[in-house]
Amino acid sequence: MVDLKQFEIWFVTGSQDLYGDETLRKVAEHAQIISQYFNDASEMPVRTVFKPVVKSSGEIFNIMQDANVTANCIGIVAWMHTFSPAKMWIRGLQIMQKPLLHLHTQYNRDIPWADIDMDFMNLNQSAHGDREFGHIMTRMRLNRKVVVGHWQQAQVMNDVAQWTRVAAARHDMKGGKFVRFGDNMREVAVTEGDKVAAEMTFGFSVNTHAVGDLVAVINQISDEEVGRLIDEYQSQYELSAGIRKGEERHDALRDAARIELGLKYFLENGNFKGYTNTFEDLHGMKQLPGIGSQRMMAAGYGYAGEGDWKTSAMVRALKVMGSGLPGGNSFMEDYTYHFDPANNLVLGSHMLEICPSIAAAKPSCEIHPLGIGGKEDPVRLVFNASAGPAINVSLVDMGNRFRILVNEVEAVAVTEALPKLPVARVLWKPAPDMATGCAAWIYAGGAHHTAYSQNLTTDHIEMFAEMTGVELVVIDKNTSLRQLKNELRWSEASYK
Ligand code: MN
């Protein structure tokens, strides 16, 4: 999993020279207390670093410059304890390359009714100081997150913590390297896309590597290492009859373990954050990677099938955002429907590659034939996913821009035995209802592949879309098709 504590946010407080040393000393003291409070909070996934109060255009420019080049700084939290005339912020904001959260708070929670005087008023001015700051960011057309409330309120901490997770994913994407083994599945439209535009927009690169180069790594894995991984499989999963040690198909399990180790070393050696492959290009491989891809996802790598590099990158982004939270994130595909009017359901799955981080119980490790790909039977983890609220996220290329689509869903417990279904599966009900949710997804051009999350919400994805400047379309309990179609029309104009 990705360790978010390696990342830091900078707590930057704006002021000016007008107030004298005593007031500025108090401003710094208060800012330090709030910064420390965030840093010490168990809910906060990243470190919070206090920065000296900035009081001039030059100081603001310098701190933005420092933030830009500090490798572990993922974003800036800005607060105007006093008034900080915002023309001073223009030069700094012009060069700012990190996401910004505008914390609209106040050191004291309550007005001290009996003691309030003009000294108090001069010190505690964020109610209008933050509006001046907000104005310049709007005037400069800068996306940011505004969080309002007293800094000790649980909701404020929650909002800031949530934003840091998204900022971490944004940071992780910049310079992130993804491998595409082979090309897209032939003739498929939605998995295509402009990799140059993606790198300009999101900062990650997607480059091809020959499957033969992966096969060469797989073939170098020692028998001892394969044995150790088999032991790990035994301890983590129920191994089905036939593939256990000494049984007739155990060699297939060893082949799968060897493939997993090859993938692992290939990704580690290339410093890659994710990959995609296709069953149409497996030259030299014995099996389509099943358990290997499932476990690479569980380890935090991005993955999607059939050359779908956009979904692979989204899965990685969700893995970073959700790091350390209960629940998981996975590559997903809307597979088949249950059109019972009393109980409409989508069955989500893939031919093999669903991440065990979303499993409701211990997965079973099984081998079954696979009708496509023309290779030996692949080993895979089979399980039911947990019930509960979730989101499906799709990143699509609209030709002139990217669009991120979210559908809020409610996963339900899988109560049927499904004895002949040889893959991991999820059952969910899309919001606002089956007919509207599916129609909205189709009108919006959403892919059949998604990144599925149990531990993130639409709020995370909304912030991510804003940080990257990408269109967001949300399908939730309030969606009406007429309104959504208008939104899509207006977006066309907005992004022209
Ligand atoms: Mn697929």
Side-chain angles (χ1 to χ4, degrees):
M1 277 282 89
V2 182
D3 174 23
L4 297 180
K5 282 290 177 204
Q6 66 184 298
F7 298 127
E8 59 193 41
I9 51 170
W10 286 11
F11 196 94
V12 176
T13 309
S15 190
Q16 59 178 330
D17 278 321
L18 197 67
Y19 305 109
D21 291 345
E22 176 57 16
T23 299
L24 287 174
R25 197 185 55 71
K26 275 240 151 61
V27 168
E29 185 190 312
H30 293 165
Q32 205 153 6
I33 290 168
I34 299 174
S35 168
Q36 194 65 44
Y37 180 78
F38 284 169
N39 190 59
D40 294 344
S42 58
E43 308 93 302
M44 196 66 81
V46 305
R47 289 176 288 118
T48 307
V49 176
F50 168 78
K51 290 289 163 182
V53 176
V54 288
K55 307 174 297 296
S56 66
S57 178
E59 287 174 5
I60 293 164
F61 183 87
N62 288 341
I63 204 151
M64 293 301 182
Q65 201 168 37
D66 288 351
N68 284 346
V69 298
T70 300
N72 287 343
C73 173
I74 60 165
I76 291 157
V77 172
W79 172 48
M80 308 301 126
H81 189 336
T82 55
F83 198 75
S84 182
K87 281 159 70 176
M88 297 191 319
W89 284 83
I90 293 172
R91 282 201 312 134
L93 291 174
Q94 275 173 334
I95 61 159
M96 182 178 71
Q97 290 165 2
K98 302 275 163 105
L100 185 140
L101 181 143
H102 182 182
L103 181 63
H104 186 43
T105 192
Q106 181 169 279
Y107 181 68
N108 59 298
R109 194 193 73 174
D110 299 337
I111 293 174
W113 303 108
D115 301 319
I116 186 167
D117 57 12
M118 278 321 286
D119 286 345
F120 181 91
M121 298 274 273
N122 275 334
L123 178 62
N124 298 284
Q125 300 186 47
S126 59
H128 65 281
D130 272 330
R131 288 171 199 245
E132 167 77 357
F133 180 66
H135 165 76
I136 200 66
M137 291 204 74
T138 296
R139 170 78 192 264
M140 293 172 73
R141 275 72 176 172
L142 293 172
N143 285 344
R144 73 284 193 187
K145 172 73 178 173
V146 180
V147 174
V148 180
H150 190 251
W151 50 280
Q152 284 171 315
Q153 275 171 13
Q155 187 58 49
V156 170
M157 174 71 76
N158 190 54
D159 287 352
V160 176
Q162 202 176 47
W163 175 84
T164 66
R165 291 182 171 279
V166 182
R170 170 82 190 114
H171 186 82
D172 179 76
M173 253 193 183
K174 285 201 168 185
K177 292 162 61 188
F178 289 80
V179 186
R180 195 175 62 167
F181 294 113
D183 206 317
N184 291 34
M185 177 181 165
R186 289 188 274 274
E187 306 287 3
V188 177
V190 80
T191 52
E192 287 283 5
D194 186 337
K195 300 197 286 295
V196 177
E199 189 158 351
M200 289 164 68
T201 304
F202 300 105
F204 66 81
S205 65
V206 182
N207 286 294
T208 187
H209 285 264
V211 174
D213 291 344
L214 172 61
V215 170
V217 178
I218 291 169
N219 289 342
Q220 281 171 12
I221 304 295
S222 71
D223 290 342
E224 291 71 34
E225 257 191 295
V226 169
R228 282 196 294 275
L229 187 54
I230 298 285
D231 291 342
E232 198 177 321
Y233 289 173
Q234 270 172 343
S235 70
Q236 292 187 13
Y237 315 117
E238 299 291 347
L239 297 194
S240 65
I243 57 172
R244 300 175 193 128
K245 274 180 199 166
E247 294 179 336
E248 70 276 15
R249 307 198 71 186
H250 183 64
D251 280 351
L253 186 66
R254 292 187 66 87
D255 289 340
R258 199 179 297 279
I259 289 170
E260 173 181 333
L261 289 164
L263 278 167
K264 178 173 183 280
Y265 289 129
F266 194 97
L267 295 169
E268 280 175 3
N269 293 339
N271 198 22
F272 296 112
K273 291 179 173 173
Y275 67 104
T276 177
N277 60 349
T278 170
F279 63 89
E280 286 175 334
D281 191 350
L282 295 172
H283 199 82
M285 295 186 80
K286 283 193 170 173
Q287 303 171 12
L288 174 65
I291 188 173
S293 288
Q294 291 179 295
R295 285 170 49 88
M296 287 300 102
M297 265 189 280
Y301 288 100
Y303 174 80
E306 291 116 30
D308 186 353
W309 51 270
K310 296 192 297 297
T311 303
S312 178
M314 271 321 299
V315 168
R316 167 67 181 189
L318 300 192
K319 293 277 179 194
V320 176
M321 287 182 212
S323 181
L325 295 175
N329 295 281
S330 179
F331 168 51
M332 189 59 64
E333 182 168 285
D334 298 72
Y335 224 108
T336 198
Y337 291 144
H338 186 59
F339 267 143
D340 172 3
N343 186 28
N344 275 307
L345 291 166
V346 179
L347 189 152
S349 188
H350 205 254
M351 63 177 109
L352 299 172
E353 313 92 339
I354 298 297
C355 178
S357 67
I358 66 169
K362 193 178 196 177
S364 79
C365 180
E366 305 177 11
I367 186 165
H368 300 279
L370 183 67
I372 56 176
K375 296 289 170 179
E376 295 176 15
D377 297 350
V379 176
R380 78 288 305 275
L381 297 172
V382 180
F383 54 87
N384 296 326
S386 319
I391 51 173
N392 269 314
V393 185
S394 174
L395 172 60
V396 294
D397 188 335
M398 294 296 293
N400 63 342
R401 67 180 186 279
F402 292 100
R403 166 179 287 166
I404 295 175
L405 187 57
V406 177
N407 189 190
E408 296 184 0
V409 306
E410 185 70 29
V412 301
V414 182
T415 50
E416 302 289 337
L418 306 167
K420 294 185 176 172
L421 186 68
V423 284
R425 73 298 297 246
V426 193
L427 289 174
W428 69 73
K429 292 176 179 295
D433 58 73
M434 185 82 165
T436 312
C438 295
W441 188 271
I442 288 169
Y443 281 125
H448 57 283
H449 283 170
T450 60
Y452 178 88
S453 179
Q454 294 173 327
N455 54 23
L456 302 168
T457 65
T458 300
D459 290 343
H460 291 95
I461 310 306
E462 181 182 359
M463 282 186 266
F464 180 77
E466 284 171 354
M467 282 180 198
T468 50
V470 168
E471 179 192 2
L472 176 73
V473 178
V474 176
I475 303 166
D476 63 9
K477 66 181 194 306
N478 299 316
T479 295
S480 86
L481 287 178
R482 195 167 296 137
Q483 184 64 26
L484 180 112
K485 285 194 264 184
N486 274 332
E487 256 180 60
L488 297 176
R489 287 188 194 103
W490 297 331
S491 285
E492 281 307 315
S494 171
Y495 285 90
K496 219 149 212 152

